[in-house]
Amino acid sequence: MNRPQSVERMIEIIKKLPGVGPKMAERLSYHILKMPQPEVDRLTDSIQKARQIMKYCSVCYNFSEQDPCQICSDAARERSTICVVETPQDLIAVSKVKDYQGLYFVLGGALSPLDAVGPDDIRINELIKRLKNANISEVIIATDTDSKGEMTAVYVAEIIKTLGIKVTRLGYGLPVGGDIEYADEVTISRAIAGRQEM
Amino acid sequence: MNRPQSVERMIEIIKKLPGVGPKMAERLSYHILKMPQPEVDRLTDSIQKARQIMKYCSVCYNFSEQDPCQICSDAARERSTICVVETPQDLIAVSKVKDYQGLYFVLGGALSPLDAVGPDDIRINELIKRLKNANISEVIIATDTDSKGEMTAVYVAEIIKTLGIKVTRLGYGLPVGGDIEYADEVTISRAIAGRQEM
């Protein structure tokens, strides 16, 4: 017997989500079929609502329900330092460290020649534009410490130096080959304290 | 910075799905935020549609878009043998084996005293009712080979024997401690051929 068509379709679509294999998609789908209708509604509503409410902050490109976002519109923040991260998840991780009180910029990814991700595919031009229009004294680069993140850091640093702005890179304490998003607060805190000029 | 509330809510709800931990829920959620709206619609629509169309077959309790299901209403099937499985996924796995042409019954789980799942929580009464009302000569029990599945098999077999119906259990070829759903077709085929009376 084949699976009913509507189940097959649900599995096909869920399978495409990142980190979800065919077996996992099947398991999730059959679980959803057994869920009471109100729970299914809560699931799909929460997805639709988040997707529809969420926009990019036009200053830092973080996901936000308002524009500019909470951080960019916070007058108490130290406005001459920008921390550059790859993703909104990385921003959340860094923002948990209380000793950093500056602003942020989300690149939206990292350079990756093998995946055909070049400088125009992430927000390098938007970053340069922002740096030119604001009074920034230091950019802290907090991209991942894998090869893509390192490459991106070097590339971005070279450009920023031509603007006469000090560039530093989170260094101390970060495990090599790791993903910033999963680093603990103490490690990130040490990395900020031990940042090095590039 | 905390995550926006709508993202937090989406993560909380996705986290409750089976096999999805906090990090996975976060990853899926941020992926969904970046998906184009039509793709998000396809995701939520496929979930809602499958959930709404799908019902239980009133004969075998498999998920089906029609009642009775495709298998139960197939006149070409051998109607005196019933294969008892735990879940609709198990039924799909067994049905891929061409040498079994009988009918099915989905228990909807396995006995598990530690999880407070007793005989009234799975469809044992419905199975007995069906066996009394139909002319069945053999019941093949194809529950999982873990302890819950074994316990369920023994429990169900004892009851069926009192009805004077032959009970067999898939035996040969199934790896112990495994999950029928993930067994390959050859293994299931051998297990059917080598089934043993209980």
Side-chain angles (χ1 to χ4, degrees):
Chain A
M1 191 193 122
N2 293 321
R3 281 192 209 95
Q5 218 185 340
S6 56
V7 179
E8 199 62 63
R9 185 172 154 76
M10 170 165 60
I11 294 174
E12 280 308 309
I13 290 176
I14 290 180
K15 206 165 71 182
K16 287 185 194 134
L17 295 172
V20 180
K23 279 294 164 197
M24 174 90 174
E26 200 179 304
R27 188 175 169 199
L28 287 175
S29 296
Y30 277 100
H31 178 82
I32 287 168
L33 290 180
K34 286 198 290 181
M35 274 161 60
Q37 185 63 46
E39 268 187 48
V40 178
D41 293 344
R42 268 197 291 279
L43 172 66
T44 58
D45 289 352
S46 73
I47 289 174
Q48 284 288 357
K49 200 175 163 206
R51 177 62 184 76
Q52 280 159 16
I53 288 183
M54 212 52 53
K55 36 184 172 275
Y56 289 111
C57 168
S58 59
V59 181
C60 72
Y61 293 93
N62 186 21
F63 283 121
S64 173
E65 294 178 355
Q66 61 195 71
D67 183 19
C69 73
Q70 223 179 316
I71 294 180
C72 290
S73 53
D74 180 353
R77 288 243 160 204
E78 205 266 281
R79 310 194 77 79
S80 64
T81 312
I82 292 183
C83 177
V84 173
V85 293
E86 292 181 21
T87 67
Q89 295 98 298
D90 293 340
L91 189 157
I92 298 279
V94 175
S95 73
K96 284 182 183 149
V97 183
K98 299 285 170 293
D99 31 352
Y100 180 68
Q101 284 298 327
L103 302 176
Y104 292 92
F105 188 87
V106 181
L107 284 174
L111 296 176
S112 177
L114 289 177
D115 305 314
V117 179
D120 291 336
D121 301 310
I122 61 176
R123 300 190 194 95
I124 290 181
N125 292 328
E126 289 85 341
L127 173 61
I128 297 168
K129 202 174 144 194
R130 177 162 168 204
L131 294 177
K132 281 182 176 165
N133 294 333
N135 200 5
I136 305 297
S137 60
E138 180 179 353
V139 175
I140 303 175
I141 300 185
T143 51
D144 287 346
T145 55
D146 57 9
S147 59
K148 296 181 201 171
E150 285 298 338
M151 194 193 316
T152 308
V154 172
Y155 187 93
V156 170
E158 287 304 316
I159 296 177
I160 297 173
K161 277 188 238 172
T162 66
L163 301 174
I165 298 170
K166 181 179 172 192
V167 192
T168 54
R169 168 102 173 96
L170 292 197
Y172 193 100
L174 282 182
V176 172
D179 194 328
I180 283 210
E181 183 185 338
Y182 302 135
D184 62 276
E185 297 176 28
V186 178
T187 306
I188 294 178
S189 178
R190 278 193 199 158
I192 289 182
R195 65 187 187 266
Q196 290 156 358
E197 189 149 2
M198 290 179 79
Chain B
M1 192 194 121
N2 293 321
R3 282 192 209 95
Q5 218 186 340
S6 56
V7 179
E8 198 63 63
R9 187 172 152 76
M10 170 165 61
I11 294 174
E12 280 306 309
I13 289 175
I14 290 180
K15 207 165 70 180
K16 287 186 193 133
L17 295 172
V20 180
K23 278 293 164 199
M24 174 91 174
E26 200 179 303
R27 188 175 169 199
L28 287 174
S29 297
Y30 276 99
H31 177 83
I32 287 168
L33 289 180
K34 287 198 290 183
M35 273 161 59
Q37 185 63 46
E39 267 187 47
V40 178
D41 292 344
R42 266 197 293 279
L43 172 66
T44 58
D45 289 352
S46 73
I47 289 174
Q48 283 289 358
K49 201 175 161 206
R51 177 62 184 77
Q52 278 159 17
I53 288 184
M54 212 50 55
K55 36 184 171 275
Y56 288 112
C57 168
S58 59
V59 181
C60 73
Y61 293 93
N62 186 22
F63 283 121
S64 172
E65 294 180 354
Q66 62 194 69
D67 183 19
C69 73
Q70 223 178 318
I71 294 180
C72 289
S73 53
D74 180 353
R77 290 243 161 204
E78 205 266 283
R79 310 193 78 80
S80 64
T81 313
I82 293 183
C83 177
V84 174
V85 293
E86 290 181 20
T87 67
Q89 296 97 299
D90 294 338
L91 189 157
I92 299 279
V94 175
S95 73
K96 284 181 182 149
V97 184
K98 298 285 172 293
D99 32 351
Y100 180 69
Q101 284 298 328
L103 301 177
Y104 292 92
F105 187 87
V106 181
L107 285 174
L111 297 176
S112 177
L114 289 177
D115 305 313
V117 178
D120 291 337
D121 301 309
I122 61 177
R123 298 189 196 96
I124 290 181
N125 292 327
E126 288 85 341
L127 173 61
I128 296 168
K129 202 175 143 194
R130 177 163 169 206
L131 294 177
K132 280 181 176 167
N133 294 332
N135 201 3
I136 306 298
S137 60
E138 180 178 353
V139 175
I140 302 175
I141 299 184
T143 51
D144 287 344
T145 55
D146 57 8
S147 60
K148 295 181 203 173
E150 286 296 338
M151 193 192 318
T152 308
V154 172
Y155 187 92
V156 171
E158 288 302 315
I159 295 178
I160 298 174
K161 276 189 235 171
T162 65
L163 302 174
I165 299 170
K166 182 179 172 189
V167 192
T168 55
R169 169 101 173 96
L170 293 196
Y172 193 100
L174 284 181
V176 172
D179 195 327
I180 282 209
E181 185 186 336
Y182 301 136
D184 62 275
E185 297 177 28
V186 179
T187 307
I188 295 179
S189 178
R190 277 193 198 157
I192 289 182
R195 65 187 187 265
Q196 290 156 356
E197 188 148 3
M198 290 177 79

